[in-house]
Amino acid sequence: MAAINPVTDLVIEDGIAVVTLNSPPVNALSVAVRDGIYQGIGEALDNDAVQAVVLICAGKTFIAGADIAEFDKPRSGLTLPQVQQRIEDAGKPVIAAIHGTALGGGLEVALVCHYRVAVPSAKCGLPEVNIGLLPGAGGTQRLPRIVGAEKALEMVTSGMHVRAKDALAMGLVDELTPEDGLRAGAIAFARKVVAEGRPLRKVRDMNEKVEAARGRPELFAEFRRGNARKFRGFQAPEANIRCIEAAVNMPFDEGLAFEHKLFEELMAGTQSAAQRYYFFASRKAWNVPDVPADTPTIPVNTVGIIGAGTMGGGIAMNFLNAGIPVTIVETKQEALDRGLATIRRNYENTASKGRISMDDVEKRMAQLKGSLALDDLAQCDLVIEAIFENMDVKKEMFGKLDRIVRQGAILASNTSALDLNEIASATSRPQDVIGLHFFSPANVMKLLEVVRGEKTSKPVIATCMQLARRIGKVAALVGVCPGFVGNRILAQRQREAGKLVLEGAMPWDVDRVLVDFGLPMGPFAMSDLAGLDLGWRRENSTGSTLREILCEMDRRGQKTGAGFYDYDDKRQARPSPVVENIIRDFAASKGITPRVVSEQEILERCIYPMINEGARILEEGIAIRASDIDVVWVNGYGWPVYRGGPMRYGDSVGLDKVLAKMQDFEARFGDDFKPAKLLVDMVAQRKSFKDL
Ligand code: NAD
């Protein structure tokens, strides 16, 4: 074997050259890898003894994409298109041999090879859309030439990974090799190509599939219509669609130039920068500086959950989905039956959509045991409490768990806001107590706030972070304070939303501004969905808040057909003249004269205090890093990822501007806008959150 350069080897076996890339961990297309491919392929082609070339990767995967870390640096070395041209124009067949994932630039390299073979477990995809981009090295022009416009649209706008079997059916790969025989299979395939004198097949010349879509603009119009909701606010999906349209309507080279132009536009734009920032933020969040990767962890093979209500049931599903048996405990048979039935119904719904099989439903349900006896949790490795949000009730429960559950097990609470240290103090083993704050619906929402108490041990933290990954969550480690990171910041926005409607904005004005900003729902529509009567009791109601007044009128949200909005029988919301009058009367009773509140004020009043609270959270060490706060808000509250997260948004607005506005609001509206010390200090030092 001859080393061509530090990442490339070349061997020639009986006329077939095998170029092997080896750049751990994922053979990303760094300068070195681009050079390596160019040189390796070049040397093979220049060798008269070589009849065909196999391009294969060492390690766990074929080229898994671009080297994103290079995006924000000055460009250097060979460009990917230069490398691709060397392959595509080769006078001898080049065969890509794929294992692991051929993603983004990796698949674009494979697409300029004349043939592709893969192992059955391999996956292919163009996921650039997820970082606000499009495949900028011919992916949007070549993919539809193989799979057709419809399938290409789906792939580039979703970033989906296609399994090798499906890739074979679509023509994206030409042959599957045995799982453990990629190299031999690729060489055998290469020999076959040579022996049969197969042509040097260039995807750029394959026009049949794109011609089939030409003159059918409705194909694209329908795709846009069908996905309008999903793509709302994002620039990259539309740019990807336009490139597929170009592939269909333009000659190849023009399409390529069009793709290049749109790629550069996205690359220079704010959305992709924010999405790339978020990509790194979500990876960093797993890293806890004082809990190193080699911290011992506690095996978790059985989980106990207390409370089969809204949260307990959803939490249980996470573990069942990961194949971990769960015992769920309730106080009454009726509540237990209801909880178990809800879990089954959820699974059956998923099965009816074809996402899992009925067999999977039964397998998961078989791993779930219901019980009315806490004693049944004695041998669990992890117990998660999801009962009523009341400190006395929780402390009593943790006291019992302390007596019942075996030593060494992890005792977790799903509390949304209570003091975890106080809960832990009810046990003789506070080092084993931790918060696992799931979000509702717990089987759907990606976020898990892992709450570290004063005494929580490092192995318990390490175990819970690892477990979060195992059950497919995005975790952020946070400290103890009311509402932790997510809800504490949310409280700022909710307070301002409430004040704004008394000052003259209507609930639908506030909601519209926040939805236009990119949030999935405004605070008032959200309240209507959750029910205005959460925690409300008629006998205690004093009509002292808008919410109480609405509940007293039986306007309790969507479920009663009326809340802040009026709802029709399809649950479509309409602004309510009744509510408008109630608000005006209520404001008048408080001596407030309504004024016109601008959209800009709504946005700044709702968002800037969130950024300010984030700064306080950092000041207090409740979050490890600013980017963790962004991870919490993107995954737990639907903050638009193309704006990075609230802290990144603060940076992009300019913290000096945020501070100046907070000071202006403080002068006009008082202490709710008191700037955080950290914010003041950062502005004085011309720093932003990314510099912390
Ligand atoms: P819920 O009222 O739907 O469910 C609580 C369940 O616990 C009930 O079924 C009740 O019968 C059961 N229960 C009460 N005491 C019990 C006991 N001693 N033993 C066994 N079971 C008992 O409440 P929920 O919305 O699921 O909330 C549970 C916890 O999760 C609370 O701490 C809440 O703050 C937190 N949380 C809720 C949400 C949310 O959006 N609902 C989100 C995050 C966290």
Side-chain angles (χ1 to χ4, degrees):
M1 185 172 295
I4 296 290
N5 75 5
V7 299
T8 316
D9 283 317
L10 169 65
V11 273
I12 299 167
E13 286 180 19
D14 211 4
I16 307 298
V18 180
V19 176
T20 307
L21 302 174
N22 188 6
S23 178
V26 292
N27 294 305
L29 283 165
S30 59
V31 183
V33 170
R34 294 200 298 272
D35 281 351
I37 303 173
Y38 193 87
Q39 289 170 22
I41 299 272
E43 196 147 318
L45 294 173
D46 290 345
N47 187 324
D48 289 342
V50 170
Q51 295 174 302
V53 185
V54 168
L55 178 64
I56 193 167
C57 289
K60 62 180 182 189
T61 179
F62 190 73
I63 305 164
D67 184 351
I68 303 177
E70 266 187 14
F71 284 9
D72 295 315
K73 296 182 189 152
R75 294 182 192 179
S76 66
L78 288 167
T79 65
L80 187 54
Q82 284 170 324
V83 175
Q84 289 175 302
Q85 197 164 1
R86 187 80 174 103
I87 301 174
E88 197 167 50
D89 292 347
K92 302 167 188 177
V94 181
I95 293 111
I98 301 171
H99 74 299
T101 49
L103 299 179
L107 183 58
E108 287 176 304
V109 168
L111 283 172
V112 292
C113 294
H114 306 105
Y115 297 94
R116 288 157 292 283
V117 297
V119 293
S121 64
K123 290 186 179 131
C124 299
L126 293 171
E128 285 83 349
V129 71
N130 294 330
I131 49 168
L133 293 174
L134 53 83
T140 64
Q141 304 305 298
R142 290 192 179 87
L143 184 68
R145 285 180 154 76
I146 298 183
V147 305
E150 276 111 327
K151 198 78 211 165
L153 280 171
E154 201 185 322
M155 281 179 70
V156 295
T157 58
S158 70
M160 69 200 271
H161 295 186
V162 175
R163 284 181 302 199
K165 188 165 66 72
D166 300 325
L168 179 70
M170 287 181 211
L172 201 50
V173 300
D174 300 289
E175 197 172 282
L176 297 188
T177 71
E179 192 62 48
D180 54 0
L182 179 63
R183 191 173 187 281
I187 292 174
F189 183 85
R191 286 197 205 295
K192 196 162 59 183
V193 168
V194 173
E196 292 173 5
R198 288 204 209 172
L200 292 172
R201 204 183 49 185
K202 293 186 189 177
V203 175
R204 59 154 59 219
D205 297 332
M206 297 164 59
N207 287 322
E208 195 185 323
K209 288 264 169 68
V210 284
E211 274 162 10
R214 204 165 293 164
R216 287 177 57 208
E218 70 282 1
L219 186 159
F220 295 95
E222 266 161 39
F223 187 78
R224 285 187 171 97
R225 228 184 351 263
N227 289 286
R229 239 179 110 127
K230 199 166 116 202
F231 298 159
R232 187 179 73 92
F234 285 92
Q235 289 163 353
E238 174 59 21
N240 273 279
I241 297 172
R242 288 178 63 203
C243 285
I244 304 291
E245 267 177 327
V248 166
N249 297 319
M250 292 179 189
F252 182 82
D253 286 317
E254 265 177 52
L256 211 54
F258 184 80
E259 177 197 85
H260 182 69
K261 177 171 159 286
L262 263 55
F263 177 83
E264 292 294 332
E265 281 172 18
L266 289 177
M267 190 67 153
T270 57
Q271 291 205 349
S272 174
Q275 286 175 260
R276 287 183 336 251
Y277 156 86
Y278 175 76
F279 175 86
F280 290 113
S282 63
R283 274 155 187 73
K284 252 185 276 172
W286 293 103
N287 189 339
V288 182
D290 71 328
V291 182
D294 59 357
T295 307
T297 53
I298 302 156
V300 175
N301 297 317
T302 51
V303 172
I305 293 173
I306 314 164
T310 312
M311 295 307 290
I315 294 170
M317 291 174 74
N318 285 284
F319 294 99
L320 297 171
N321 296 348
I324 304 171
V326 172
T327 303
I328 194 161
V329 175
E330 259 294 346
T331 43
K332 296 207 175 73
Q333 189 63 45
E334 197 192 331
L336 182 61
D337 290 344
R338 207 178 324 123
L340 296 179
T342 305
I343 296 176
R344 172 173 281 282
R345 199 173 52 244
N346 280 338
Y347 277 137
E348 285 174 352
N349 278 341
T350 312
S352 73
K353 289 178 194 140
R355 288 201 222 121
I356 57 172
S357 67
M358 275 314 285
D359 206 35
D360 292 331
V361 176
E362 295 311 327
K363 270 197 208 128
R364 289 174 200 194
M365 290 307 290
Q367 298 268 59
L368 175 64
K369 187 179 148 206
S371 165
L372 297 176
L374 270 184
D375 286 342
D376 283 347
L377 305 184
Q379 294 309 317
C380 286
D381 302 317
L382 163 69
V383 175
I384 304 174
E385 164 278 310
I387 62 174
F388 304 131
E389 184 79 341
N390 174 296
M391 182 55 88
D392 293 338
V393 174
K394 301 245 190 224
K395 280 171 87 171
E396 191 192 334
M397 176 56 69
F398 273 75
K400 282 189 196 159
L401 291 178
D402 193 28
R403 288 189 291 279
I404 294 171
V405 182
R406 68 168 183 80
Q407 289 298 320
I410 299 173
L411 306 180
S413 172
N414 182 49
T415 179
S416 330
L418 298 177
D419 182 344
L420 184 80
N421 295 325
E422 194 177 338
I423 296 176
S425 74
T427 73
S428 63
R429 35 174 147 160
Q431 73 281 1
D432 296 334
V433 177
I434 195 164
L436 290 179
H437 184 206
F438 288 84
F439 286 68
S440 181
N443 53 319
V444 177
M445 296 296 288
K446 278 269 172 217
L447 179 65
L448 181 65
E449 280 184 333
V450 178
V451 188
R452 172 184 204 160
E454 255 162 35
K455 300 194 173 139
T456 311
S457 77
K458 291 181 185 183
V460 167
I461 293 171
T463 304
C464 289
M465 295 301 281
Q466 201 181 67
L467 194 60
R469 208 190 270 273
R470 196 166 147 207
I471 61 174
K473 296 288 175 198
V474 177
L477 186 70
V478 303
V480 176
C481 67
F484 312 119
V485 167
N487 285 344
R488 177 169 161 182
I489 289 179
L490 177 68
Q492 296 286 321
R493 185 190 85 182
Q494 301 301 83
R495 184 198 63 224
E496 287 311 307
K499 279 159 59 183
L500 282 162
V501 293
L502 295 187
E503 291 169 37
M506 284 294 126
W508 31 96
D509 299 327
V510 176
D511 282 356
R512 189 188 58 249
V513 169
L514 291 171
V515 169
D516 287 350
F517 179 75
L519 285 152
M521 224 183 221
F524 296 99
M526 189 72 203
S527 298
D528 275 359
L529 179 67
L532 300 186
D533 56 353
L534 273 181
W536 174 85
R537 291 232 174 80
R538 189 176 288 281
E539 55 276 21
N540 301 334
S541 190
T542 56
S544 60
T545 63
L546 270 179
R547 191 181 260 256
E548 281 187 331
I549 295 171
L550 294 175
C551 284
E552 285 165 20
M553 296 172 69
D554 265 334
R555 299 186 66 100
R556 300 188 192 188
Q558 282 199 17
K559 61 186 171 191
T560 54
F564 284 106
Y565 292 83
D566 291 334
Y567 293 88
D568 63 19
D569 46 9
K570 292 195 185 93
R571 292 207 171 185
Q572 288 288 337
R574 264 176 292 111
S576 166
V578 177
V579 170
E580 190 160 345
N581 283 331
I582 294 169
I583 291 174
R584 299 237 185 271
D585 290 349
F586 187 71
S589 76
K590 301 255 164 209
I592 302 168
T593 314
R595 64 183 170 91
V596 176
V597 183
S598 72
E599 294 198 342
Q600 188 183 348
E601 180 179 339
I602 292 174
L603 188 69
E604 291 170 344
R605 289 265 305 268
C606 288
I607 304 283
Y608 289 5
M610 294 170 65
I611 300 168
N612 192 52
E613 195 65 21
R616 270 200 201 110
I617 283 172
L618 289 169
E619 210 173 287
E620 294 167 22
I622 297 293
I624 298 172
R625 34 182 109 73
S627 61
D628 287 8
I629 300 178
D630 289 339
V631 168
V632 165
W633 263 79
V634 167
N635 290 288
Y637 303 84
W639 181 280
V641 64
Y642 57 78
R643 294 190 198 276
M647 311 314 276
R648 157 88 196 187
Y649 180 68
D651 275 357
S652 67
V653 170
L655 294 188
D656 52 343
K657 293 205 181 69
V658 174
L659 175 63
K661 203 39 128 179
M662 288 295 289
Q663 288 165 334
D664 169 34
F665 286 153
E666 187 187 18
R668 287 164 60 195
F669 307 114
D671 277 356
D672 285 342
F673 294 93
K674 196 167 177 40
K677 182 174 178 309
L678 181 68
L679 184 62
V680 175
D681 291 350
M682 283 199 304
V683 172
Q685 296 163 18
R686 295 176 189 280
K687 279 191 176 162
S688 48
F689 289 116
K690 76 172 179 340
D691 306 317
L692 291 180

